[in-house]
Amino acid sequence: MKPIKLRAGQTVKFDVDCRGEPAPTRTWSFKGKELVQTGSCRIENTDDENGIDYLTKLTVLDPTRVNSGVYTLKAENVNGSDECDVEVTILDKPGKPEGPLEVSDVHKEGCKLKWKKPKDDGGLPLTGYVVEKMDLATGRWVPCGHVDPSKEEQEIKGLEPNHRYQFRVKAVNEEGESDPLETESAIVAKNPFDVASPPGIPEFEDWDEHHVKLKWEPPIRDGGAPITSYIVEVMDKDTGAFVKAVETEGPMCKATVPKLEEGQQYKFRVRAVNKAGPSEPSEQTNWHTAKARFCKCFNTLEQ
């Protein structure tokens, strides 16, 4: 009656000699409950030819983790009783991680997953977790990470924007991988916010030969994320294309565009920026000529 460790599927077998006179009854129990003969549990009691040694045999066929625990043999006759415990450990793959498999911080290229360790480690230390993803457009599960056994979360990267994904996690030990814990529903890889609507058309607040000061109204919709800056774009009449001129250092709706060429004509427009990126541009201004706003005055004195 020595403790044993076996892999799942290996037969559990005990052959025990019980001595007593008169013949004792011999009963086996598991976790305090008496065992009875079944297709997978066989109990055989025999006597030797002298009627003194009484053997009892217990066989458990194709055991799994549920067969791990303490088995007790009890022998009893009119003169007394005796019993002995023996522990059996069936080594197997771990149980699947405990759910739910939580998905958080979803954005257009990734998200975060979180789960709980399995209730049953299979009788062996966990070596880690395998994380997999499935793009519903392909229908295939592919690995996307291996997590240390001391951690129960993973940051997922490299998702295709606007694709639908499901995820699953398997616990792993030396015997193999557990059944998977899957997300309850698919998620869409997208930011929880959008780009802002365009700002108002820029107005000329001040100017001279080499710069203009502009102001504008903020966008009607910020897209669900605060405006962090504005990009002012400029186009001169020679090139006919807008290019970035300046970007504000905060959400103020004013900016100065320097380094204009005196006499050249320019148009201006503005984009609002949030976490999702720059908005569509505002309406563009009319042509503005880089020149002095005020002319110098001269007094003529008659001699």
Side-chain angles (χ1 to χ4, degrees):
M1 299 284 282
K2 294 181 180 180
I4 60 172
K5 288 186 178 182
L6 299 171
R7 285 184 167 82
Q10 292 182 311
T11 302
V12 175
K13 192 170 185 178
F14 290 100
D15 190 343
V16 186
D17 181 9
C18 298
R19 297 176 181 269
E21 188 63 34
T25 59
R26 288 145 288 176
T27 56
W28 289 88
S29 59
F30 176 58
K31 296 181 180 179
K33 184 177 180 180
E34 184 175 344
L35 293 173
V36 295
Q37 188 94 357
T38 64
S40 60
C41 179
R42 299 176 183 175
I43 300 172
E44 183 182 0
N45 295 323
T46 60
D47 302 339
D48 74 356
E49 59 182 9
N50 298 317
I52 298 175
D53 296 337
Y54 305 98
L55 298 177
T56 181
K57 298 179 182 180
L58 172 67
T59 305
V60 181
L61 302 174
D62 198 23
T64 63
R65 283 289 293 165
V66 298
N67 300 113
S68 293
V70 175
Y71 290 78
T72 302
L73 170 61
K74 183 176 182 179
E76 185 176 17
N77 64 12
V78 295
N79 297 311
S81 65
D82 193 15
E83 64 180 45
C84 182
D85 294 334
V86 63
E87 185 169 7
V88 174
T89 303
I90 306 299
L91 305 178
D92 202 352
K93 298 178 292 186
K96 72 179 182 180
E98 288 292 294
L101 179 53
E102 300 176 358
V103 185
S104 62
D105 296 343
V106 178
H107 55 91
K108 65 180 181 179
E109 295 178 348
C111 62
K112 289 183 179 179
L113 301 179
K114 190 173 183 180
W115 60 91
K116 297 177 183 177
K117 65 181 180 181
K119 290 182 178 179
D120 183 9
D121 61 7
L124 293 166
L126 295 181
T127 58
Y129 297 92
V130 172
V131 182
E132 297 177 327
K133 65 182 178 182
M134 178 176 67
D135 186 337
L136 268 60
T138 65
R140 298 193 306 271
W141 288 104
V142 295
C144 60
H146 188 278
V147 182
D148 188 86
S150 62
K151 298 180 180 179
E152 292 150 24
E153 59 184 16
Q154 169 78 341
E155 183 175 357
I156 305 299
K157 299 180 180 180
L159 302 183
E160 290 291 331
N162 297 315
H163 283 221
R164 292 172 60 83
Y165 287 90
Q166 281 191 278
F167 303 93
R168 68 184 186 186
V169 179
K170 303 174 187 176
V172 185
N173 65 12
E174 290 182 2
E175 291 297 305
E177 299 177 351
S178 72
D179 292 334
L181 170 67
E182 297 186 14
T183 48
E184 296 178 354
S185 58
I187 61 101
V188 179
K190 65 181 294 293
N191 290 327
F193 41 81
D194 299 309
V195 295
S197 57
I201 184 172
E203 298 177 10
F204 296 101
E205 193 173 38
D206 195 9
W207 63 88
D208 66 12
E209 301 95 324
H210 302 295
H211 81 274
V212 294
K213 291 184 178 180
L214 302 172
K215 66 177 182 178
W216 56 87
E217 293 296 321
I220 297 174
R221 297 181 301 278
D222 64 8
I227 303 300
T228 56
S229 64
Y230 290 92
I231 296 173
V232 180
E233 297 177 337
V234 61
M235 175 179 69
D236 65 54
K237 206 160 191 177
D238 291 340
T239 62
F242 277 100
V243 295
K244 179 178 177 180
V246 294
E247 183 170 358
T248 66
E249 295 183 356
M252 70 285 291
C253 295
K254 292 183 178 183
T256 298
V257 179
K259 299 181 181 180
L260 302 182
E261 182 179 343
E262 185 176 4
Q264 181 64 274
Q265 288 188 302
Y266 298 93
K267 285 187 176 183
F268 304 90
R269 67 185 188 184
V270 183
R271 298 176 187 264
V273 181
N274 65 9
K275 286 184 179 181
S279 70
E280 290 296 313
S282 67
E283 293 184 35
Q284 60 193 21
T285 64
N286 293 325
W287 288 109
H288 170 81
T289 302
K291 63 180 182 179
R293 183 177 182 183
F294 302 105
C295 294
K296 294 181 180 179
C297 296
F298 297 92
N299 290 326
T300 303
L301 299 177
E302 293 183 1
Q303 298 297 326

